[in-house]
Amino acid sequence: MQAKASSSEQDGRSFIENARRAQIVRAALDTIAELGFAKASFAKIAKRAGLSSTGMISYHFDGKGDLVAEAMRDVLAAAAAAMGPRIRAETGGPARLRAYIEANIAFIAERPTDMKALLEILRNNAGEPAWFLQSISLLEEAFREGQRAGEFGEFDPRVMAIAVRQAIDGIHALLAAEPRTDTAAYAQQVVRIFALATARS
């Protein structure tokens, strides 16, 4: 997924308008992460953004749905930009699996507020099942390709994809309960577990 263009020539908005939209999106993510989706009203978002009224939000966004959709796109674009190159730099199924796990957990550790807000948005907009299915479908296909190439052993690619995704997403709850968790060590253990689980016998 690509980030939205910020150039006024590409989106028809001025630099100031784009800066204001980014300010509002940032405030929305912080508010949703702190208070939850339901309690993240325009009034609370406006206050966090330092705006005098909610009218400024309404000027830039067509309702809460439009605002949270923009916030979700921003987080997903940032995740793709951070993780994509790291994964594509590797060659072979096992190496890319390691990079996928490490890059995902590193992004979650670096941007816990954004990820917490993203999960809130997905859950409250009925988007979580679709997002989850999309993410495991990509992993499942990667496992199938690796098996066809003889890089992975015999296992159910869909079940393995779900297991990997759940192991990665499990860090959310752990960080919420224990913020000082060593995420790099966690990633190493997850990589080791799935290296063994997917290896050729």
Side-chain angles (χ1 to χ4, degrees):
M1 182 175 292
Q2 295 181 344
K4 291 193 66 166
S6 59
S7 167
S8 59
E9 294 180 356
Q10 294 174 314
D11 59 25
R13 293 190 295 267
S14 70
F15 173 80
I16 293 175
E17 286 177 317
N18 279 310
R20 180 66 77 189
R21 285 174 67 89
Q23 177 188 7
I24 294 168
V25 167
R26 180 69 263 159
L29 288 168
D30 291 342
T31 304
I32 292 169
E34 180 183 351
L35 303 178
F37 182 87
K39 294 181 180 179
S41 65
F42 269 19
K44 289 186 171 66
I45 294 170
K47 182 178 180 181
R48 187 180 289 269
L51 304 177
S52 58
S53 73
T54 60
M56 187 64 73
I57 301 178
S58 297
Y59 173 79
H60 288 283
F61 298 96
D62 185 20
K64 187 175 181 179
D66 186 29
L67 173 56
V68 298
E70 177 88 348
M72 184 169 68
R73 283 192 294 268
D74 275 14
V75 176
L76 291 175
M83 296 186 291
R86 185 170 176 177
I87 297 168
R88 290 191 295 270
E90 299 295 340
T91 302
R96 286 193 168 181
L97 174 60
R98 183 191 70 246
Y100 177 85
I101 294 170
E102 292 175 344
N104 267 270
I105 293 174
F107 186 81
I108 292 168
E110 290 165 7
R111 302 182 68 159
T113 298
D114 288 359
M115 291 304 300
K116 185 176 180 181
L118 176 63
L119 291 177
E120 275 288 309
I121 292 168
L122 288 168
R123 291 186 188 117
N124 286 275
N125 281 275
E128 189 173 32
W131 177 81
F132 177 75
L133 287 174
Q134 182 181 22
S135 64
I136 65 168
S137 292
L138 292 172
L139 268 175
E140 179 183 356
E141 182 54 32
F143 280 133
R144 290 190 190 282
E145 288 181 5
Q147 286 177 326
R148 287 193 290 267
E151 297 174 328
F152 292 126
E154 292 297 320
F155 54 82
D156 186 315
R158 189 170 183 81
V159 172
M160 191 65 74
I162 292 171
V164 170
R165 191 66 249 174
Q166 295 286 41
I168 291 169
D169 292 340
I171 195 69
H172 292 290
L174 185 57
L175 285 172
E178 301 175 6
R180 298 180 62 135
T181 296
D182 186 338
T183 54
Y186 179 92
Q188 288 178 356
Q189 288 299 308
V190 174
V191 166
R192 183 171 184 273
I193 288 167
F194 287 104
L196 293 171
T198 61
R200 296 174 61 188
S201 57

